[in-house]
Amino acid sequence: MASIIDSRIFGDIFSDAKMRAVWSDENRTAKYLDIERALAKVQGRLGIIPQEAADEIVKNCNIEMIDWAQLKAKTEQIGYPIIAVVNQINANCRDKLGEYCHWGATTQDITDTATVLQMREGLALVEADLKAISDSLADLSRTYRDTPIIGRSNLQQAIPITFGFKMASILAGIERHRERLEQLKPRVFMGEFGGAAGTLASIEKGAMETQAGLMAELGLACPPIAWHTVRDTIAEVGAFLALVGGSLGKIAMDVKLMMQTEVAEVFEPYAPGRGSSSTMPQKRNPISCLYIHANISVARQHAAALMDAMVADHERSTGPWEIEWVSLPEIFCLMSGALKQTKFVLAGLEVDTVQMRRNINMTHGLVMSEAVMMGLGPFIGREYAHDLVYELCRDALKQQRPLVEILAEHPEINAHVSRAQLDAFCDPANYLGQAGVMVDQVLALRRA
């Protein structure tokens, strides 16, 4: 095993079979053939090459006719696979009609356009996964819209929120990713056909018509100018996937923390033996979350490498281009694994609302100190109320008594508010702010 993605043991944990197929040698080579076929078809129609030649080339652009051993050997000899593919098409054509294959094109035209076609397929899988994740988060947001849970700041208990609010805040980020994906498509799904240095000098007549026809055949946008060494669109896809990874990592981080024994508010879906320890039978370790974290971390480094690949020399570069060959498939495959694991976690997330309430209550009301401060503010001033409640919180901790009892005994407080009012201040259900409204807003703005 040279790569975890291709491992017979780990491959389907760290990646997804459909995404691996997108970036396989077979699919990449099939894309080369698709482009050469479309190019011949268009140039035959325009009279740039003989129609007889176009028909013969189209017939022989067939993945079943590829000699893989020969393709490998030729690629190692030349350094690029395109010439090796064209050689095989030419050899399979009768009467030297294959000489018209690849007319006016250059290796990078075919390679870049194939990469765009692969990215289109890969991003379609990402889009479907984001939709599934959005669906699960929407269900959780809706179901637990009004379910109190403690909010945490610097890993300390802060004030109550709702579990629906927690899920909806993540959902909002996923929805922004879905919007970003729609926005980048017109920029990224753009083919390449410029010839040697991008000027299409090799086609005397009908060059722009060939380019337009080729892109129409492939369903891609027509480039206004060659982008052989202007690689922002490739880097943008890597950056987009890295951003998605950050959001998946946020989900994994929170689930890991909430699975801790001392917290125990949510759990990854249960399956017999999943997450067990070889030595500690009681353990229920997070599993999917660990793989999500690992995948997104490596994918992020590959995204940075794509930024390096942008620093290309002149009109055809001396090396940075090949960085993409290594990093882009890895990003897509690793992110497919992270997306798959996230879908699994969210679709079957086990939620313990009783434990959530128990954790809110564990400080005996201290987490309601802000609510008390704001309730007392109109009577004794907010700043003074802050300092007073701060001291009374310390007293409650020292005496190991509920905060409401300490508050009720203080003369400056009971002179202004009743015990019933203090009980209301200290009720978590009364201090959820606009959580429900915000959940509703996110759900209303969600894409179908």
Side-chain angles (χ1 to χ4, degrees), residues 9 56 74 79 81 97 101 104-105 119 162 169 185 191 247 276 297 306 317 321 330 346 371 409 417 425:
I9 299 172
E56 185 67 10
K74 272 281 191 180
L97 292 172
C101 182
M119 288 195 301
T162 70
S169 65
K185 286 178 182 179
S247 293
S276 63
S297 296
L306 292 179
S317 66
W321 183 39
E330 290 265 333
L346 293 176
E409 293 171 357
V417 297
F425 292 162

Short mmCIF file of all heavy atoms in Angstrom, two decimals, residues 9 56 74 79 81 97 101 104-105 119 162 169 185 191 247 276 297 306 317 321 330 346 371 409 417 425:
data_model
loop_
_atom_site.label_atom_id
_atom_site.label_comp_id
_atom_site.label_asym_id
_atom_site.label_seq_id
_atom_site.Cartn_x
_atom_site.Cartn_y
_atom_site.Cartn_z
N ILE A 9 -7.62 -2.14 3.07
CA ILE A 9 -8.15 -2.13 4.44
C ILE A 9 -8.76 -0.78 4.79
O ILE A 9 -9.88 -0.68 5.27
CB ILE A 9 -7.03 -2.48 5.45
CG1 ILE A 9 -6.49 -3.88 5.16
CG2 ILE A 9 -7.55 -2.38 6.89
CD1 ILE A 9 -5.27 -4.24 5.97
N GLU A 56 -13.18 8.47 -38.42
CA GLU A 56 -12.28 7.39 -38.02
C GLU A 56 -11.71 7.63 -36.62
O GLU A 56 -11.60 6.70 -35.81
CB GLU A 56 -11.14 7.27 -39.05
CG GLU A 56 -10.19 6.09 -38.82
CD GLU A 56 -10.84 4.73 -39.04
OE1 GLU A 56 -11.98 4.67 -39.55
OE2 GLU A 56 -10.20 3.72 -38.66
N LYS A 74 5.09 4.38 -22.29
CA LYS A 74 5.28 5.59 -23.07
C LYS A 74 5.25 6.84 -22.19
O LYS A 74 5.99 7.80 -22.41
CB LYS A 74 4.19 5.70 -24.14
CG LYS A 74 4.52 5.01 -25.45
CD LYS A 74 5.47 5.89 -26.28
CE LYS A 74 5.62 5.34 -27.69
NZ LYS A 74 6.54 6.18 -28.49
N GLY A 79 7.11 11.47 -20.26
CA GLY A 79 6.84 12.33 -19.10
C GLY A 79 5.40 12.75 -19.00
O GLY A 79 4.96 13.25 -17.96
N PRO A 81 1.16 11.61 -20.45
CA PRO A 81 0.40 10.52 -21.07
C PRO A 81 -0.30 10.89 -22.38
O PRO A 81 -0.72 9.99 -23.11
CB PRO A 81 -0.63 10.16 -20.00
CG PRO A 81 -0.85 11.44 -19.26
CD PRO A 81 0.46 12.17 -19.27
N LEU A 97 -5.35 8.06 -41.18
CA LEU A 97 -6.31 9.13 -40.88
C LEU A 97 -6.16 9.64 -39.45
O LEU A 97 -6.56 10.76 -39.14
CB LEU A 97 -7.74 8.63 -41.11
CG LEU A 97 -8.11 8.34 -42.57
CD1 LEU A 97 -9.48 7.68 -42.66
CD2 LEU A 97 -8.09 9.63 -43.39
N CYS A 101 -5.66 13.46 -35.61
CA CYS A 101 -6.04 13.50 -34.19
C CYS A 101 -5.20 14.55 -33.46
O CYS A 101 -4.01 14.73 -33.75
CB CYS A 101 -5.83 12.12 -33.55
SG CYS A 101 -6.31 12.00 -31.82
N GLY A 104 -3.88 20.81 -33.74
CA GLY A 104 -3.78 22.15 -33.18
C GLY A 104 -3.77 22.22 -31.67
O GLY A 104 -3.64 23.31 -31.09
N ALA A 105 -3.91 21.08 -31.01
CA ALA A 105 -3.95 21.06 -29.54
C ALA A 105 -2.55 20.84 -28.98
O ALA A 105 -1.62 20.47 -29.70
CB ALA A 105 -4.87 19.95 -29.06
N MET A 119 -13.08 17.36 -12.12
CA MET A 119 -13.54 18.20 -11.02
C MET A 119 -15.06 18.35 -11.06
O MET A 119 -15.71 18.36 -10.01
CB MET A 119 -12.87 19.58 -11.07
CG MET A 119 -11.41 19.57 -10.69
SD MET A 119 -10.76 21.23 -10.33
CE MET A 119 -11.06 22.07 -11.89
N THR A 162 -29.78 26.37 22.85
CA THR A 162 -30.54 25.16 22.55
C THR A 162 -29.69 24.29 21.63
O THR A 162 -28.84 24.79 20.90
CB THR A 162 -31.89 25.44 21.88
OG1 THR A 162 -31.67 25.92 20.55
CG2 THR A 162 -32.71 26.44 22.67
N SER A 169 -26.41 26.71 13.73
CA SER A 169 -25.25 27.57 13.45
C SER A 169 -24.27 26.86 12.51
O SER A 169 -23.68 27.47 11.61
CB SER A 169 -24.55 27.96 14.75
OG SER A 169 -23.98 26.84 15.41
N LYS A 185 -18.81 27.39 -9.90
CA LYS A 185 -18.98 26.56 -11.09
C LYS A 185 -18.71 27.30 -12.40
O LYS A 185 -17.97 26.79 -13.26
CB LYS A 185 -20.38 25.94 -11.11
CG LYS A 185 -20.58 24.80 -10.12
CD LYS A 185 -22.02 24.29 -10.18
CE LYS A 185 -22.27 23.20 -9.17
NZ LYS A 185 -23.68 22.71 -9.22
N GLY A 191 -13.04 25.00 -19.99
CA GLY A 191 -12.02 24.17 -20.63
C GLY A 191 -10.80 24.97 -21.06
O GLY A 191 -10.72 26.19 -20.90
N SER A 247 -15.38 23.11 8.26
CA SER A 247 -16.72 22.95 8.85
C SER A 247 -16.96 21.52 9.32
O SER A 247 -17.57 21.30 10.37
CB SER A 247 -17.79 23.36 7.83
OG SER A 247 -17.72 24.74 7.56
N SER A 276 -14.78 0.25 20.45
CA SER A 276 -14.36 -0.45 21.66
C SER A 276 -12.85 -0.45 21.78
O SER A 276 -12.12 -0.20 20.82
CB SER A 276 -14.89 -1.89 21.63
OG SER A 276 -14.33 -2.59 20.53
N SER A 297 -7.18 17.59 7.88
CA SER A 297 -5.87 18.18 8.17
C SER A 297 -4.91 17.97 7.00
O SER A 297 -4.19 18.88 6.60
CB SER A 297 -5.29 17.56 9.45
OG SER A 297 -6.09 17.87 10.57
N LEU A 306 -1.58 23.64 -3.69
CA LEU A 306 -2.18 24.19 -4.92
C LEU A 306 -1.91 25.68 -5.05
O LEU A 306 -1.86 26.21 -6.17
CB LEU A 306 -3.68 23.91 -4.95
CG LEU A 306 -4.08 22.43 -5.11
CD1 LEU A 306 -5.60 22.30 -5.09
CD2 LEU A 306 -3.51 21.84 -6.38
N SER A 317 4.73 26.24 -17.90
CA SER A 317 5.60 26.21 -16.71
C SER A 317 6.54 25.02 -16.68
O SER A 317 6.39 24.04 -17.42
CB SER A 317 4.73 26.19 -15.46
OG SER A 317 4.01 24.98 -15.38
N TRP A 321 2.96 22.87 -12.30
CA TRP A 321 1.74 22.22 -12.79
C TRP A 321 1.56 20.82 -12.20
O TRP A 321 0.46 20.42 -11.82
CB TRP A 321 1.83 22.18 -14.31
CG TRP A 321 0.66 21.62 -15.05
CD1 TRP A 321 -0.66 21.80 -14.76
CD2 TRP A 321 0.71 20.82 -16.24
NE1 TRP A 321 -1.45 21.17 -15.69
CE2 TRP A 321 -0.63 20.57 -16.60
CE3 TRP A 321 1.73 20.33 -17.03
CZ2 TRP A 321 -0.95 19.80 -17.73
CZ3 TRP A 321 1.41 19.58 -18.15
CH2 TRP A 321 0.08 19.32 -18.49
N GLU A 330 -5.86 13.89 -4.29
CA GLU A 330 -5.80 13.57 -2.86
C GLU A 330 -6.83 14.39 -2.08
O GLU A 330 -7.51 13.87 -1.19
CB GLU A 330 -4.40 13.84 -2.32
CG GLU A 330 -3.34 12.88 -2.81
CD GLU A 330 -3.10 11.72 -1.86
OE1 GLU A 330 -3.32 11.90 -0.65
OE2 GLU A 330 -2.68 10.65 -2.33
N LEU A 346 -24.02 12.36 11.53
CA LEU A 346 -25.20 13.21 11.71
C LEU A 346 -26.50 12.46 11.47
O LEU A 346 -27.50 12.73 12.14
CB LEU A 346 -25.10 14.42 10.79
CG LEU A 346 -23.98 15.41 11.10
CD1 LEU A 346 -23.94 16.51 10.05
CD2 LEU A 346 -24.14 16.00 12.50
N ALA A 371 -28.07 36.09 33.57
CA ALA A 371 -29.50 36.37 33.60
C ALA A 371 -29.87 37.12 34.88
O ALA A 371 -30.67 38.07 34.86
CB ALA A 371 -30.30 35.06 33.51
N GLU A 409 -31.15 35.43 49.97
CA GLU A 409 -30.81 35.85 51.32
C GLU A 409 -30.17 37.24 51.37
O GLU A 409 -30.02 37.83 52.44
CB GLU A 409 -29.83 34.84 51.94
CG GLU A 409 -30.45 33.48 52.18
CD GLU A 409 -29.42 32.43 52.59
OE1 GLU A 409 -28.20 32.77 52.63
OE2 GLU A 409 -29.82 31.29 52.86
N VAL A 417 -36.47 42.35 44.33
CA VAL A 417 -37.12 41.26 43.59
C VAL A 417 -37.54 40.15 44.55
O VAL A 417 -36.90 39.92 45.58
CB VAL A 417 -36.20 40.69 42.49
CG1 VAL A 417 -35.88 41.75 41.45
CG2 VAL A 417 -34.91 40.14 43.08
N PHE A 425 -35.39 34.12 37.04
CA PHE A 425 -34.07 34.49 36.52
C PHE A 425 -33.17 33.27 36.36
O PHE A 425 -32.36 33.18 35.44
CB PHE A 425 -33.35 35.47 37.46
CG PHE A 425 -33.97 36.84 37.55
CD1 PHE A 425 -33.66 37.68 38.62
CD2 PHE A 425 -34.85 37.30 36.59
CE1 PHE A 425 -34.22 38.94 38.72
CE2 PHE A 425 -35.41 38.57 36.67
CZ PHE A 425 -35.10 39.39 37.75
#
